[in-house]
Amino acid sequence: MASWQGIALISTGWGPRCLSHAGAALLAEVYRVETFGLDGETRALVNQLHSLSHHAPDHAVWQNDELLAAAARALRLAQSDERAALVTPSGEITTVLWPIVQAAAKQLGLTVRFGHGMGLAESMANCLQLPLPPTVEVRPQLSDFVGKNQLPTLAIATEMGDLTDITSLYAGTARFFMVDLHAHQHKVVHVDITQPIPSTTNAFVVATQGEIALHHDHEEELELEETIESAVLWVELLNGLTESVRG
């Protein structure tokens, strides 16, 4: 069993029994599991994966104090049993609860690890807060995308393919990354294809356009535009989703 100490935050995706491989792997590493807001099928799946699971009721309508009580139980377990998991459905509950748990874990000096149930492609796009439903496509090699008339926002593959060909992606402005959700550190690494390419045995390779505009609508109906163009910023954004955080 892994040697890290702290709490694992796991989301279960958008439907019953939706749990990522990363989430299932984290469940196998903890001593206790606390869940909040899961449907019956997903609770049954968690029970199959971990025998010491406690489930708060399936709340169609929930209150903040109920969320905080579940978070407090999970944090106490993480302190007393060294490793615990808090499993929530993707969406509003996760959005509300996870920042609270992360802040509390930092105060307690606990490590926080993440397992997202939406899947790699959807999680990346969600992390980037793309203004429209993103286009995401997965192929065996990034070079398989060469020649397509319309490229997805995120092109994902298990191998780079022909390096000469992929330089033409996104009209020659592509940025490339390796993403390993199971790595303990540096889960997202920017790749310079003019340099030797690291091994991709356990990682996905991702290509996206070199610059992308994020539009933010405010109450005053003013639209502000930010452009992500720095490779360092791309890595920071992707790591915001996938990286473990030491409190």
Side-chain angles (χ1 to χ4, degrees), residues 62-74:
W62 45 268
Q63 302 295 324
N64 283 337
D65 57 348
E66 296 172 318
L67 282 174
L68 293 175
R73 287 194 298 269

Side-chain angles (χ1 to χ4, degrees), residues 4 39 77 97 150 156:
W4 63 276
D39 61 90
L77 289 172
L97 191 58
Q150 187 171 2
I156 300 177

Side-chain angles (χ1 to χ4, degrees), residues 164-216:
T164 302
D165 288 344
I166 65 175
T167 58
S168 66
L169 291 174
Y170 301 99
T173 69
R175 295 194 185 278
F176 303 95
F177 304 90
M178 288 189 178
V179 180
D180 184 353
L181 294 178
H182 297 281
H184 293 296
Q185 293 181 326
H186 310 300
K187 294 176 183 286
V188 182
V189 178
H190 176 239
V191 175
D192 182 351
I193 62 172
T194 66
Q195 302 297 320
I197 305 298
S199 170
T200 60
T201 303
N202 298 311
F204 293 93
V205 289
V206 179
T208 190
Q209 55 190 325
E211 298 184 6
I212 185 168
L214 305 183
H215 300 274
H216 302 275

Side-chain angles (χ1 to χ4, degrees), residues 9-234:
L9 299 179
I10 300 170
S11 66
T12 59
W14 299 115
R17 301 181 66 85
C18 180
L19 189 67
S20 67
H21 291 295
L26 284 177
L27 283 179
E29 294 185 7
V30 301
Y31 293 117
R32 304 282 192 94
V33 178
E34 182 78 30
T35 80
F36 186 90
L38 302 187
D39 61 90
E41 289 188 39
T42 306
R43 289 200 301 270
L45 174 61
V46 172
N47 284 337
Q48 292 174 14
L49 295 172
H50 203 292
S51 59
L52 294 178
S53 298
H54 173 263
H55 307 282
D58 180 10
H59 291 283
V61 178
W62 45 268
Q63 302 295 324
N64 283 337
D65 57 348
E66 296 172 318
L67 282 174
L68 293 175
R73 287 194 298 269
L75 287 165
R76 283 196 296 269
L77 289 172
Q79 283 184 290
S80 62
D81 289 344
E82 296 182 334
R83 289 189 295 274
L86 177 60
V87 186
T88 60
S90 296
E92 187 178 6
I93 291 176
T94 293
T95 299
V96 171
L97 191 58
W98 282 18
I100 297 172
V101 176
Q102 291 178 63
K106 184 176 182 179
Q107 292 294 322
L108 296 171
L110 297 173
T111 295
V112 181
R113 299 186 69 183
F114 302 97
H116 289 260
M118 290 184 291
L120 175 67
E122 293 84 357
S123 294
M124 283 184 175
N126 183 67
C127 173
L128 296 177
Q129 299 178 0
L130 299 175
L132 298 174
T135 55
V136 180
E137 194 171 334
V138 181
R139 295 196 172 194
Q141 296 184 330
L142 284 182
S143 56
D144 294 337
F145 290 95
V146 175
K148 292 192 62 176
N149 292 329
Q150 187 171 2
L151 290 172
T153 306
L154 296 172
I156 300 177
T158 54
E159 296 179 0
M160 287 282 188
D162 190 290
L163 297 182
T164 302
D165 288 344
I166 65 175
T167 58
S168 66
L169 291 174
Y170 301 99
T173 69
R175 295 194 185 278
F176 303 95
F177 304 90
M178 288 189 178
V179 180
D180 184 353
L181 294 178
H182 297 281
H184 293 296
Q185 293 181 326
H186 310 300
K187 294 176 183 286
V188 182
V189 178
H190 176 239
V191 175
D192 182 351
I193 62 172
T194 66
Q195 302 297 320
I197 305 298
S199 170
T200 60
T201 303
N202 298 311
F204 293 93
V205 289
V206 179
T208 190
Q209 55 190 325
E211 298 184 6
I212 185 168
L214 305 183
H215 300 274
H216 302 275
D217 294 324
H218 294 260
E219 293 180 359
E220 305 85 17
E221 297 185 355
L222 296 176
E223 188 175 80
L224 303 179
E225 181 176 298
E226 299 175 4
T227 300
I228 302 176
E229 56 185 359
S230 163
V232 173
L233 183 54
W234 275 103

